[in-house]
Amino acid sequence: MKQVVADAAIREVKSDMILGLGSGSTAALMIKSLADEMRSGKLQNIKGVATSFQSEVLALELNIPLIDLASVSQIDLAIDGADEVDPGFQLIKGGGACHVREKLVASKADQLLIVVDETKLVQNLNLSFPLPVEVLPNAWKQVQEVISEMKGSSTLRMATKKAGPVVTDQGNLILDVLFDDGINNPKDIEMKINNIPGVLENGLFVDLTDKVLVGKIENNTPVVYSPSRAS
């Protein structure tokens, strides 16, 4: 299912594009499909902008030319995954702790295409999937206390196969936040959290998504559809 939706995303790509390369399992499949199309000559003169160290390493392994985000004024298309997508195409991202670079790329892209499987579609954000908040290492406790005053419970994300917390590509820590009633006003919550001293960025992607491709299983066959944005 993930492969089918990744392949569908590549059909949105045209030669000569500067392409934002997302992070995560579905985005990794998309990057591999992109490399196949470039090797076959169907897509030419593609340059990628990586959203994480993970996508950068994969692109280099597959010989996809990369350019630095700071060296481009605009990106034609960014393709990325999401952890939750609501009917208005507002997102929670950051399950892989890459949301800062992902948001930088998304905000510079002419179009943001999100690729997910059907399990990522929700009516309300943050009822079950926590909101990642990237914080400076010496500020996490202070930020946690402020979020608690906003009726949010948070935990410091701990690493697996490593003692201690997850450390982001920027050298910061992640607080995973669940609000008592979820997030009904993403724009307001995004602004309030980012105004807390010590916060670098959070995983709410508000008013950035142009199109969503969704994979699902229908009659034992993986299919892809593009839902309409709710008004």
Side-chain angles (χ1 to χ4, degrees), residues 184-197:
N184 297 308
N185 189 341
K187 185 177 293 187
D188 183 53
I189 293 295
E190 180 188 36
M191 181 179 65
K192 285 182 178 178
I193 290 178
N194 281 351
N195 280 337
I196 300 172

Side-chain angles (χ1 to χ4, degrees), residues 28-184:
L29 293 172
M30 175 274 297
I31 293 171
K32 292 176 182 177
S33 295
L34 172 65
D36 290 340
E37 295 291 283
M38 292 174 66
R39 275 192 297 268
S40 71
K42 293 179 182 178
L43 289 173
Q44 299 179 357
N45 193 32
I46 298 291
K47 293 182 176 65
V49 179
T51 59
S52 65
F53 188 66
Q54 175 209 35
S55 56
E56 179 180 321
V57 169
L58 182 58
L60 290 173
E61 288 176 348
L62 295 170
N63 297 314
I64 298 173
L66 293 178
I67 51 178
D68 189 78
L69 178 63
S71 68
V72 295
S73 57
Q74 57 87 220
I75 294 166
D76 296 301
L77 173 67
I79 304 175
D80 210 341
D83 297 296
E84 287 191 336
V85 182
D86 79 3
F89 290 1
Q90 314 295 24
L91 316 175
I92 286 181
K93 291 175 53 56
C98 307
H99 53 283
V100 172
R101 283 175 65 180
E102 288 172 337
K103 192 178 282 191
L104 286 168
V105 169
S107 63
K108 193 174 275 193
D110 291 342
Q111 286 192 310
L112 175 61
L113 172 62
I114 295 297
V115 290
V116 292
D117 63 72
E118 202 169 38
T119 64
K120 305 298 177 66
L121 303 183
V122 297
Q123 285 300 309
N124 293 96
L125 298 173
N126 193 234
L127 289 176
S128 59
F129 193 91
L131 173 68
V133 177
E134 183 160 341
V135 297
L136 298 176
N138 61 355
W140 73 269
K141 191 65 177 175
Q142 181 177 338
V143 173
Q144 187 179 55
E145 290 169 357
V146 177
I147 288 174
S148 179
E149 294 171 2
M150 297 170 59
K151 297 184 179 179
S153 59
S154 62
T155 57
L156 189 63
R157 188 182 300 182
M158 304 305 289
T160 58
K161 299 184 179 179
K162 167 194 172 292
V166 167
V167 179
T168 70
D169 288 354
Q170 290 74 235
N172 297 313
L173 306 181
I174 299 288
L175 286 174
D176 286 320
V177 181
L178 280 170
F179 288 96
D180 291 350
D181 300 314
I183 295 174
N184 297 308

